[in-house]
Amino acid sequence: MNIIPIMPAPRASITWPAEGLTRVPYALFQDEDVYADEQQAIFRGPNWSYLCLEAELPNPGDFRSTFVGDAPVVVTRDADGELYAFENRCAHRGALVCLEDEGNAKDFSCVYHAWTYNLQGDLVGVAFKDGIDGKGGMKPDFCTGDHGLRKLRVATLHGLVFGSFSDDVPPLDEYLGEEIVERIARVLEGRTPVVLGRFTQMLPNNWKLYFENVKDSYHASILHLFFTTFQLNRLSQRGGIIVDEGGGHHVSYSAVDHAATAKEQKPASDYAEQNIRSESEHRLEDTSVLAGVDEFGDGVTLQILSVFPGFVLQQIQNAIAVRQILPRGTRQTELNWTYLGFEDDTPELREMRLRQANLVGPAGYVSMEDGCVGGFVQRGIDAASDANSVLEMGGDSAQSSASRVTEASIRGFWKAYRNAMGY
Amino acid sequence: MVQDVQQLIARAQAQYVRCIDDGDLAEWPDFFVPACVYKVTTADNYRRGLAGAMIYAASRGMLVDRVASLRDANIYERHSYRHVLGQPFVISDDGSEARSETSFMVARIMRDGSTDLFATGRYCDVYVRNTDGPNEVKLRERIVVCDSSRIDTLLALPL
């Protein structure tokens, strides 16, 4: 009795401003109907969502709970060594079948009526299926094969596990495109990550405001003064942004430009002229927080990579982390940080990663502002659901650029978003 | 007269939270010896032995830098804390060092007046005794273990 799901009609009616990608209606960050449509069209639609790391499920029977949008999801490794993922919702009456964050299990049994599922999400047992003493029980034509958990497609790339509810989603490497795959490989290929810590930050804003922030290479050295004060990242450094063809994925990177550093006096005045508060005489008592090594041999000290609709891979010097962005209603977002090291880290490199972790996360020297700035927008637009934001830095296109003084990756996000939502 | 170590720790901690909640944050690093460790992590990470932390200072200098950054570099909405501490539980004391644990609850008061329970947890401490006299103790290590793995918005002021 396979039912072909009928796609519900969109609830919200949004008319995109005539200017195109340089304008974004604030209503998108406020409207409950937009939120519901996003869950359907984006998170349960033909996109890949980050689930977890392969390294978090090393053994058969290992499982991990996560989310794809609002949907609770369990990822497992079965006895065949393969990864599986399914919605954490009993096919009977809808209760969660897994109540742990992680663990090792032979199967999942719903606590409500003991419907039992194997590690691939197939229904293998129904309590009192045949009744007791010939009385009661399920209808004679009940077929357990028709009542498995809703399954996700699973794909992995360099140790990252992604899932999709959609059968129409393109293969993961095609979805990401060559340039994004290369940049993921740069950080993770052939390495075994080790989780150094997990932290959750609850952001007081719509999920898209955080994703815009991740893609915003314009704000980095303006809002985050720690960066500029210690000359970790100036926009005048060698770098650029990559936006994939669909627009939804991006990479922003920068490297120390030794040639430019030689004539360094100039950038300081660039900033002074722009009246940006970055000229304090700040001296660290203990500079070990910034001590790092050129781990990738290319001089790139910063690479922020995002995958539509909610994944970030971050390399800031040797501070490596993945971030999972989960919508939690129109005005709240859950940001899950997983700090990474690698199995072959020397003790010295591991210590550097731990010290550099001060830069990132909920208390990060260069990230704590991202925790509050989305809320400043969310509150700022409370009476402006008929107005739009302005995204004209760097023109009106959503293309890769050698300059990071651009909002091209943000426009790329809205390009992918409009495409997914039909706006 | 040399006071009981539990009293010494309780007094030092009362000063510590008074410094953060009502005093001058610039004095906060002075509660630590120069070669110290200060970390803020979660109970989940702590239980698993994961070393990553939201804040990790491996010297008093790094605490001074944290305060300077909060004052001069970082952007966040004005807020304050109110710490409420439990009695310190002294785990061991060899006369020169004492280990203790203390529960805390911290309310965060935002500039608009909203007050929320921001964090609960425990301090896992190593105090050095007799630092500036027979009744002085200073922290050589403070691991702030937050009960929840969630931080609302951001963590700026230290716990």
Side-chain angles (χ1 to χ4, degrees):
Chain A
M1 183 176 67
N2 275 320
I3 295 167
I4 297 164
I6 298 163
M7 294 289 281
R11 301 184 191 191
S13 63
I14 295 285
T15 306
W16 206 273
E19 293 92 334
L21 296 176
T22 60
R23 294 291 184 279
V24 176
Y26 288 136
L28 297 178
F29 305 113
Q30 302 165 322
D31 192 305
E32 301 282 345
D33 288 342
V34 168
Y35 184 88
D37 291 343
E38 288 169 349
Q39 292 297 319
Q40 182 67 38
I42 295 176
F43 295 98
R44 295 194 292 277
N47 296 300
W48 288 105
S49 291
Y50 171 75
L51 301 178
C52 62
L53 302 165
E54 275 192 86
E56 291 175 308
L57 303 165
N59 302 308
D62 286 351
F63 68 87
R64 239 191 124 67
S65 296
T66 184
F67 288 88
V68 172
D70 284 342
V73 164
V74 182
V75 193
T76 65
R77 191 181 290 280
D78 198 3
D80 62 1
E82 297 295 315
L83 295 171
Y84 297 88
F86 43 79
E87 191 175 10
N88 189 1
R89 171 180 61 85
C90 185
H92 177 214
R93 299 263 291 278
L96 297 168
V97 295
C98 173
L99 300 171
E100 295 295 332
D101 296 333
E102 61 172 49
N104 188 279
K106 288 192 193 65
D107 51 36
F108 294 94
S109 189
C110 180
V111 294
Y112 204 172
H113 304 94
W115 285 35
T116 302
Y117 304 88
N118 65 20
L119 292 169
Q120 300 188 18
D122 299 316
L123 181 62
V124 292
V126 171
F128 304 121
K129 178 169 176 287
D130 301 319
I132 296 173
D133 297 334
K135 292 175 187 153
M138 296 300 283
K139 286 171 63 188
D141 61 353
F142 179 83
C143 175
T144 52
D146 293 339
H147 297 274
L149 300 171
R150 176 154 66 160
K151 296 181 182 181
L152 285 82
R153 291 179 62 180
V154 173
T156 62
L157 181 70
H158 301 310
L160 304 172
V161 184
F162 289 84
S164 179
F165 278 111
S166 168
D167 290 329
D168 301 326
V169 68
L172 181 60
D173 52 351
E174 197 180 301
Y175 177 81
L176 296 171
E178 207 171 298
E179 286 181 299
I180 304 295
V181 170
E182 263 172 33
R183 289 293 181 146
I184 291 174
R186 176 180 167 273
V187 180
L188 297 175
E189 187 175 23
R191 312 178 85 186
T192 306
V194 176
V195 173
L196 301 183
R198 298 186 184 89
F199 301 94
T200 297
Q201 200 174 353
M202 298 307 288
L203 307 174
N205 53 263
N206 188 278
W207 67 277
K208 300 186 292 298
L209 289 172
Y210 185 75
F211 212 40
E212 278 194 316
N213 173 275
V214 165
K215 289 169 177 287
D216 182 353
S217 50
Y218 174 26
H219 87 284
S221 61
I222 302 170
L223 177 67
H224 306 306
L225 293 186
F226 191 87
F227 254 157
T228 50
T229 307
F230 298 106
Q231 300 185 24
L232 260 178
N233 171 42
R234 297 245 183 197
L235 288 177
S236 52
Q237 282 186 320
R238 177 168 66 84
I241 61 157
I242 299 168
V243 184
D244 85 302
E245 201 180 312
H249 323 309
H250 103 292
V251 181
S252 172
Y253 63 95
S254 67
V256 177
D257 188 337
H258 293 289
T261 310
K263 42 176 180 172
E264 179 58 27
Q265 273 54 292
K266 191 175 165 292
S269 60
D270 282 352
Y271 274 73
E273 282 161 18
Q274 300 304 319
N275 195 22
I276 294 166
R277 312 144 291 147
S278 64
E279 298 308 314
S280 65
E281 280 300 308
H282 217 66
R283 292 291 174 267
L284 286 179
E285 294 248 340
D286 185 337
T287 55
S288 68
V289 68
L290 302 176
V293 293
D294 185 6
E295 189 173 347
F296 305 96
D298 56 8
V300 173
T301 52
L302 177 140
Q303 177 185 294
I304 304 293
L305 179 152
S306 69
V307 173
F308 186 86
F311 170 76
V312 180
L313 171 64
Q314 157 219 302
Q315 177 232 331
I316 298 177
Q317 290 184 301
N318 307 104
I320 318 273
V322 296
R323 309 180 203 160
Q324 180 191 36
I325 304 166
L326 294 174
R328 287 284 176 264
T330 56
R331 295 180 74 98
Q332 198 171 45
T333 300
E334 180 176 326
L335 179 61
N336 291 314
W337 297 80
T338 305
Y339 296 179
L340 299 181
F342 296 93
E343 218 170 50
D344 57 358
D345 284 351
T346 62
E348 293 76 22
L349 178 55
R350 182 62 60 85
E351 180 67 13
M352 285 181 202
R353 294 193 201 285
L354 294 171
R355 291 190 186 197
Q356 289 176 21
N358 279 297
L359 298 171
V360 300
Y365 282 134
V366 297
S367 67
M368 74 168 74
E369 292 86 3
D370 297 326
C372 60
V373 78
F376 298 166
V377 176
Q378 192 79 44
R379 281 148 57 194
I381 64 175
D382 264 341
S385 53
D386 55 348
N388 307 316
S389 69
V390 178
L391 294 172
E392 296 191 350
M393 188 57 84
D396 54 11
S397 75
Q399 287 166 347
S400 299
S401 150
S403 168
R404 289 184 300 137
V405 192
T406 176
E407 288 165 324
S409 351
I410 308 178
R411 287 189 292 272
F413 169 74
W414 292 109
K415 181 177 152 188
Y417 180 88
R418 288 178 68 179
N419 189 36
M421 297 290 284
Y423 293 152
Chain B
M1 191 190 92
V2 178
Q3 286 179 301
D4 173 69
V5 69
Q6 201 216 10
Q7 286 178 312
L8 295 177
I9 291 172
R11 193 185 62 171
Q13 296 189 151
Q15 286 180 321
Y16 176 103
V17 302
R18 185 164 178 263
C19 171
I20 295 174
D21 296 353
D22 303 296
D24 180 1
L25 197 59
E27 291 169 9
W28 170 66
D30 298 336
F31 291 94
F32 295 79
V33 297
C36 64
V37 168
Y38 173 80
K39 266 188 188 191
V40 181
T41 187
T42 70
D44 193 54
N45 289 316
Y46 191 71
R47 190 169 49 243
R48 291 167 198 271
L50 301 180
M54 288 184 273
I55 299 175
Y56 170 35
S59 67
R60 186 160 68 192
M62 289 174 82
L63 298 175
V64 172
D65 293 337
R66 182 57 73 169
V67 174
S69 183
L70 290 174
R71 197 182 49 217
D72 295 334
N74 292 121
I75 311 293
Y76 49 90
E77 259 181 301
R78 186 160 49 78
H79 63 276
S80 61
Y81 288 161
R82 180 61 56 197
H83 282 73
V84 180
L85 303 190
Q87 289 292 317
F89 173 70
V90 179
I91 295 165
S92 65
D93 173 26
D94 66 5
S96 61
E97 276 196 357
R99 305 187 80 89
S100 65
E101 284 188 11
T102 307
S103 299
F104 64 82
M105 294 181 88
V106 176
R108 184 174 61 184
I109 303 93
M110 300 304 294
R111 73 180 170 97
D112 69 355
S114 60
T115 303
D116 288 298
L117 183 61
F118 179 62
T120 69
R122 62 191 156 126
Y123 296 137
C124 298
D125 296 332
V126 179
Y127 277 97
V128 181
R129 302 191 62 176
N130 310 312
T131 47
D132 297 319
N135 289 326
E136 294 299 321
V137 295
K138 286 199 172 180
L139 285 161
R140 184 168 67 72
E141 181 177 292
R142 165 156 285 181
I143 314 293
V144 181
V145 181
C146 297
D147 293 323
S148 169
S149 56
R150 285 186 176 186
I151 286 287
D152 178 63
T153 308
L154 55 78
L155 171 66
L157 303 175
L159 294 167

